[in-house]
Amino acid sequence: MKARLPKGYGGGGTNNIQQLARQAQKIQDDMEAASAELEAKEYEAAAGGGAVKITVTGKMELTKVEIQPEVVDPDDVEMLSDLVMAAANEALRTAAKEKEEKMDSISSGLNIPGMF
C-alpha cells in the first residue's frame, strides 16, 4: 500500500525544492537589502522636553548628542546623565523596532535562523 500525499504535494519533487530554494534566496536577498537600508538611517530621540537629543544609526551606533545649556547644572550631573541615557535608549529602541518590523514584513513572521 502506498502512502498518499495531500493534493498539491508530490509529483513535483525536485521542482518544489528548487522553488522553495528560490523563495528562500529571494527572502534572504530582500532582508539583506532592507538591513543595509536600515543601517544607513538615523533615528533621533529626546528627553527632558527636548533638553537632550540623541541620534543613532540603524547600526545601533551613537552619532550625535545635543544638550541644551540650561540643563547643564554642575550640582546635578546625575540628572543630565539620566536624560542622556533615556534619550539614547529611546533612540536605540526606535531603531531596533523598525528593523524588527521591516524584517517581519519581509519574512511574513517566519523565524528562520541565520536569515538576519
Side-chain angles (χ1 to χ4, degrees), residues 46-106:
V52 175
K53 292 181 185 175
I54 300 289
T55 304
V56 299
T57 67
K59 290 182 178 182
M60 306 303 173
E61 295 173 343
L62 188 68
T63 59
K64 190 175 187 182
V65 177
E66 293 179 45
I67 301 172
Q68 300 300 316
E70 59 269 13
V71 297
V72 180
D73 181 356
D75 295 329
D76 197 3
V77 175
E78 187 176 334
M79 180 196 67
L80 180 57
S81 296
D82 289 345
L83 290 174
V84 170
M85 191 170 19
N89 285 332
E90 183 59 31
L92 290 169
R93 274 192 294 272
T94 301
K97 182 179 178 185
E98 184 173 341
K99 183 172 185 174
E100 181 180 341
E101 288 171 355
K102 183 81 167 181
M103 294 305 169
D104 282 349
S105 72
I106 292 171

Side-chain angles (χ1 to χ4, degrees), residues 3-53:
R4 293 186 187 182
L5 295 173
K7 189 173 185 173
Y9 290 90
T14 305
N15 289 337
N16 286 342
I17 292 171
Q18 289 173 347
Q19 183 180 10
L20 285 173
R22 282 193 299 272
Q23 288 174 342
Q25 184 63 48
K26 182 180 180 338
I27 289 172
Q28 186 171 7
D29 292 345
D30 290 349
M31 287 183 157
E32 287 173 3
S35 185
E37 177 186 325
L38 290 169
E39 286 178 356
K41 285 183 77 170
E42 289 191 336
Y43 303 86
E44 185 179 282
V52 175
K53 292 181 185 175

